[in-house]
Amino acid sequence: MKLIQILKVAAIPVLAVLSLVSASNTALADYLNSEGGGGDYRYQLWSSDDNNYYYLKVWLNEASPESDPYSTTRRFTSSREALIDFDCNYAHKSLPECPR
């Protein structure tokens, strides 16, 4: 009988800690890092909660700020890489990094 009571007392704190750990893992969110524009487009640069990847949300300049993005890019490993992609593919800048 004592063993069952001890297990009940020990199980409650363990389950509480496990539920807190799993809840904190599901609360991860992406973060807005910067905004800018070029050519006919504007962007928002977003990063993952752990800064492992970056992506851009792109709108036409005349689009409403509340509208859905014109495009959401693939994931990039750095903010620099994401911004170069914007400059090359949306702002149409002639950078050495742009594919020809």
Side-chain angles (χ1 to χ4, degrees):
M1 189 67 166
K2 287 256 188 206
L3 180 61
I4 293 174
Q5 289 176 335
I6 292 171
L7 288 176
K8 284 182 183 179
V9 170
I12 292 173
V14 169
L15 291 175
V17 167
L18 289 175
S19 67
L20 289 174
V21 168
S22 67
S24 67
N25 285 339
T26 58
L28 298 178
D30 292 349
Y31 293 99
L32 177 61
N33 287 317
S34 66
E35 297 178 286
D40 295 331
Y41 299 92
R42 66 180 193 278
Y43 68 84
Q44 291 180 338
L45 174 64
W46 291 80
S47 66
S48 62
D49 185 54
D50 53 8
N51 288 326
N52 276 341
Y53 64 88
Y54 299 83
Y55 61 94
L56 297 168
K57 292 183 180 182
V58 180
W59 289 265
L60 287 167
N61 280 331
E62 62 269 2
S64 164
E66 291 81 31
S67 66
D68 288 336
Y70 168 80
S71 175
T72 301
T73 63
R74 65 179 176 86
R75 293 178 174 185
F76 297 96
T77 56
S78 71
S79 59
R80 180 179 185 277
E81 185 182 359
L83 294 175
I84 288 172
D85 181 77
F86 178 85
D87 286 343
C88 294
N89 296 311
Y90 295 95
H92 302 294
K93 292 184 178 177
S94 296
L95 302 176
E97 295 91 340
C98 295
R100 302 200 183 246

